[in-house]
Amino acid sequence: MARIIELTSPNGWPASEDRKAIGIQSFAIPGTSLKIACAKDVAPIIVAFCKEFHELVEPIDQGQLDDWGYAFRMTRGSDKVLSNHSSGTAVDLNALKHPLGKSNTFNKEQCNIITLLITKYGLAWGGHYKKRKDEMHFEIALTKDLVIQKIKQLGL
């Protein structure tokens, strides 16, 4: 009998190389020409966050394509830990302006707005990481039940 191994990303969401198995779809970000691939269950939060990031922090659809969501892969620098991108619950925005490992790529006002937005949407920000900063990176920091509550609370 074949053994089925269930994969989860570090934030506890189902992860898979099979996009359909975990409900990965592409969603348009209002006010931009951008579409982000993410899990359908978290899409209302990801889309609303990206829209507000674009409006309040900095534009995300100008220049090179450096914004993305779902990607089945390990966390950069690890061969054992899946990335939260593997569950479609993380997004990188303006990666070229905010490269992995760099600090202070946003000004103080932008950081304050980001902190308000991640609190509003129940996200974690790589800019708050203790070891290696990842200021482009935002991820769901809620369980499925809490995501459902947050979507209802925000009217998304």
Side-chain angles (χ1 to χ4, degrees), residues 40-45 146-156:
K40 185 178 178 185
D41 289 343
V42 301
I45 289 174
L146 291 175
V147 162
I148 292 167
Q149 287 177 22
K150 181 65 77 174
I151 290 169
K152 285 180 185 173
Q153 173 198 353
L154 295 171
L156 301 175

Side-chain angles (χ1 to χ4, degrees), residues 30-143:
T32 76
S33 59
L34 182 66
K35 286 187 175 185
I36 293 284
C38 64
K40 185 178 178 185
D41 289 343
V42 301
I45 289 174
I46 297 285
V47 168
F49 169 77
C50 289
K51 176 184 182 289
E52 286 202 70
F53 182 96
H54 174 75
E55 293 170 348
L56 303 173
V57 179
E58 64 186 18
I60 57 173
D61 68 342
Q62 296 179 340
Q64 254 184 320
L65 179 61
D66 64 347
D67 312 291
W68 47 80
Y70 171 80
F72 188 78
R73 63 174 177 78
M74 296 296 168
T75 298
R76 299 283 184 229
S78 171
D79 60 359
K80 293 181 173 57
V81 179
L82 280 176
S83 166
N84 287 322
H85 289 280
S86 297
S87 60
T89 60
V91 62
D92 290 342
L93 301 176
N94 294 336
L96 295 176
K97 287 178 73 175
H98 311 289
L100 179 63
K102 296 283 184 183
S103 297
N104 304 312
T105 63
F106 290 101
N107 65 39
K108 186 177 180 181
E109 182 181 349
Q110 289 172 313
C111 289
N112 289 340
I113 295 168
I114 289 169
T115 298
L116 291 172
L117 291 175
I118 64 170
T119 300
K120 175 180 180 178
Y121 290 108
L123 302 175
W125 176 36
H128 288 158
Y129 290 172
K130 298 284 185 236
K131 293 183 180 178
R132 181 181 64 185
K133 300 290 185 190
D134 193 2
E135 293 188 350
M136 72 177 97
H137 183 84
F138 304 90
E139 63 192 30
I140 296 291
L142 303 171
T143 64

